[in-house]
Amino acid sequence: MIKASTPAQYVLILIDMAESQGCDRRALLAGTSLADSGIAGIGARVSDRDFSTLVANAMRLTGDPALGLNLGLRLNLSAHAVLGQAFMTCRDLGQVMELFLKYYHLLAPALHIEFEIVEDTCILSTAVSFLDAPLEFSYELMYSAMLNTLRGLLNKGDLQLHIEAPYPEPTHAQRYYEVLGSDVHFNCVQGRISFPASLLDTPLPSSNPALRTLYENECARLLADLEEEDSVTERTLSLLRKLEGQYPQMPQTAKMLNLSPRTYRRRLDSEQQSYQALLDRVRAEHATRYLQNTRLPLSTIAYLIGFNDASNFRRAYLKWTGRSPLEVRGGR
């Protein structure tokens, strides 16, 4: 399991982008561990909690609802550091995709991707959620950064992808079409990115097999370093997301993670987390998806996420998210 953290270069680009719009750096860093040390104290990676706080600050200070889309436009090949260099040395886009699927957690541990080729179409099914960051921001950043990276690799500035977003059309939808093109669809069951499979055979002008091996070895080393930083929090979230509708009790979850309940509780305490908070977070995610992407009655949704009646579900959901189920369903 990969520890939830964000590459420092993404954080620095976000700070630079916000400052270029007149934001004060101290206000941007407020509430993060960088508030005292400043960016001079930044390491190779930044905790997702710090990144989410920084995103919230930047959205508030810039007033930019499309912050994720605009940040993604700044994440080019050089921003992806060693993995971006590895992409450039590949023979073709097919090799790039192989590398990406092996090492994408270097770029976004909160990202989960499944890849398949259906007839003549490549489909990336995606799920991403930076800790406490708005769902739309997480997907906007991923969509925009992926398109920007592919355009740079293929030298196709007009490349478009078929994009499916698992949430209602936002008020700034026009910016989606400006950044991503016209083939963007909202209110979809799952986040997906599709493109013609024929693109996989596109040769890359910067191909260099010798350097590719060198860069891939470095990617493998970096990924191993992240995996050593095991996070019980992320292991728990990953497990609970897979067990949708089951939601085990804490001792059962500890057993599934090969830990005693006592050790499990101690590890969560050391990460300043509680099992109930993590369980509520996942149930809120699942409930939100049902509310936004289905017309199931509230009583059914309540049952699916472990409540006996709709009234208790309403109160819990309001506590978890600060919004009522009807507000979320109505897209207000």
Side-chain angles (χ1 to χ4, degrees):
M1 184 60 60
I2 306 297
K3 184 175 181 180
S5 59
T6 301
Q9 60 268 23
Y10 294 179
V11 174
L12 292 171
I13 291 170
L14 174 57
I15 292 171
D16 178 72
M17 189 173 76
E19 286 187 321
S20 70
Q21 297 182 46
C23 297
D24 177 72
R25 181 175 297 183
R26 288 174 298 178
L28 281 169
L29 301 181
T32 73
S33 63
L34 300 172
D36 294 327
S37 63
I39 62 173
I42 200 170
R45 303 188 72 87
V46 173
S47 74
D48 269 9
R49 187 168 298 280
D50 275 352
F51 183 63
S52 294
T53 300
L54 180 61
V55 166
N57 291 344
M59 293 188 77
R60 184 184 71 256
L61 294 168
T62 63
D64 181 7
L67 184 70
L69 290 169
N70 295 326
L71 176 59
L73 288 176
R74 299 279 296 272
L75 301 187
N76 54 22
L77 285 162
S78 62
H80 304 318
V82 65
L83 187 53
Q85 295 299 314
F87 289 160
M88 294 175 65
T89 62
C90 288
R91 178 186 66 246
D92 53 32
L93 186 59
Q95 280 196 347
V96 171
M97 290 305 303
E98 290 176 10
L99 271 182
F100 177 64
L101 293 170
K102 286 175 67 175
Y103 299 112
Y104 68 82
H105 278 145
L106 288 175
L107 307 179
L111 179 63
H112 175 72
I113 289 180
E114 294 180 2
F115 177 74
E116 60 181 334
I117 299 177
V118 179
E119 297 180 348
D120 59 352
T121 301
C122 293
I123 301 173
L124 292 164
S125 299
T126 62
V128 60
S129 179
F130 292 105
L131 181 65
D132 297 333
L135 179 69
E136 291 85 351
F137 170 88
S138 301
Y139 277 94
E140 288 173 6
L141 176 59
M142 176 188 63
Y143 294 143
S144 182
M146 191 167 293
L147 178 59
N148 194 40
T149 300
L150 288 175
R151 284 175 171 172
L153 276 171
L154 301 176
N155 195 27
K156 292 180 180 290
D158 59 349
L159 176 69
Q160 289 196 23
L161 305 173
H162 173 85
I163 290 174
E164 299 176 24
Y167 45 85
E169 180 177 287
T171 56
H172 58 284
Q174 183 57 38
R175 185 58 179 158
Y176 278 74
Y177 303 124
E178 293 170 356
V179 172
L180 304 175
S182 59
D183 199 4
V184 181
H185 307 269
F186 298 98
N187 276 317
C188 299
V189 175
Q190 187 175 14
R192 299 208 306 182
I193 298 171
S194 306
F195 57 87
S198 58
L199 283 178
L200 295 177
D201 297 324
T202 306
L204 302 186
S206 55
S207 173
N208 189 317
L211 286 180
R212 179 183 180 277
T213 300
L214 180 67
Y215 283 126
E216 183 170 3
N217 289 339
E218 179 62 9
C219 288
R221 185 190 68 79
L222 292 171
L223 189 63
D225 288 345
L226 284 183
E227 288 174 337
E228 289 175 2
E229 299 176 2
D230 214 0
S231 163
V232 170
T233 295
E234 289 304 315
R235 290 173 63 192
T236 300
L237 290 171
S238 178
L239 177 63
L240 292 175
R241 285 166 178 150
K242 293 175 182 176
L243 296 174
E244 184 168 351
Q246 300 180 44
Y247 309 121
Q249 297 294 314
M250 188 274 286
Q252 295 172 285
T253 300
K255 184 177 181 180
M256 284 186 276
L257 295 176
N258 296 313
L259 296 169
S260 70
R262 182 177 179 182
T263 299
Y264 178 60
R265 189 179 296 107
R266 186 174 66 249
R267 293 278 294 275
L268 284 177
D269 287 344
S270 71
E271 295 172 14
Q272 298 182 314
Q273 292 287 354
S274 72
Y275 180 70
Q276 189 61 51
L278 297 178
L279 179 61
D280 289 347
R281 175 177 165 184
V282 171
R283 292 166 85 187
E285 290 175 4
H286 292 162
T288 299
R289 190 173 73 248
Y290 287 133
L291 289 167
Q292 292 182 339
N293 300 312
T294 76
R295 302 311 300 174
L296 292 172
L298 291 187
S299 58
T300 301
I301 296 175
Y303 175 77
L304 289 172
I305 63 168
F307 286 89
N308 292 325
D309 61 76
S311 60
N312 285 337
F313 163 65
R314 288 191 192 93
R315 286 193 292 270
Y317 190 80
L318 181 61
K319 178 182 177 182
W320 295 338
T321 68
R323 302 178 71 190
S324 74
L326 292 179
E327 287 177 321
V328 173
R329 170 155 279 176
R332 297 189 296 272

